[in-house]
Amino acid sequence: AQDGELAHIFLAGLGEPTKLKAEEWARFSFLLGQLLATSAGVHDEISAGVLKDELPVNQEFMIRMYLGAPGGQKYWSQFGSGYPKAFREYVDRVLAEQRPK
């Protein structure tokens, strides 16, 4: 969070991923992947009844914010299949609810 260059890459990656160089896209993907891996773990724990759904961080808000952005959409289309099926279905439902009807 203290690395200005990484913050720049992350923000650019969310908004305009096609403007990132290959190395920058890799850094963006690693960072977003870590955020989503945490979310997938929390989702599993909620599903198993280990955690309550009332967490200080709103999972759906995070998914909409990151995966609803152009860079998040690109990431999810490339790497989403690597996440557990239940989490993929959850993410796809959250994103479908966000789309204009």
Side-chain angles (χ1 to χ4, degrees):
Q2 295 176 356
D3 185 333
E5 179 187 6
L6 187 56
H8 171 77
I9 289 170
F10 189 71
L11 292 173
L14 283 177
E16 299 180 281
T18 57
K19 292 189 175 183
L20 295 180
K21 297 174 187 169
E23 178 184 303
E24 293 171 329
W25 174 252
R27 292 177 75 188
F28 169 81
S29 295
F30 290 140
L31 182 56
L32 186 54
Q34 283 301 118
L35 292 169
L36 289 174
T38 300
S39 290
V42 169
H43 179 265
D44 287 347
E45 290 182 3
I46 289 171
S47 297
V50 176
L51 292 175
K52 293 183 180 182
D53 197 16
E54 303 164 0
L55 298 173
V57 175
N58 183 322
Q59 289 262 91
E60 290 186 14
F61 173 78
M62 301 291 282
I63 289 168
R64 286 185 191 107
M65 184 170 64
Y66 294 131
L67 296 182
Q73 292 170 13
K74 180 179 177 183
Y75 174 90
W76 191 245
S77 69
Q78 285 184 343
F79 303 112
S81 63
Y83 291 87
K85 181 180 179 186
F87 183 68
R88 288 193 319 262
E89 291 172 350
Y90 170 70
V91 167
D92 291 341
R93 180 184 55 78
V94 169
L95 294 175
E97 291 171 359
Q98 176 178 331
R99 292 186 190 103
K101 296 178 181 177

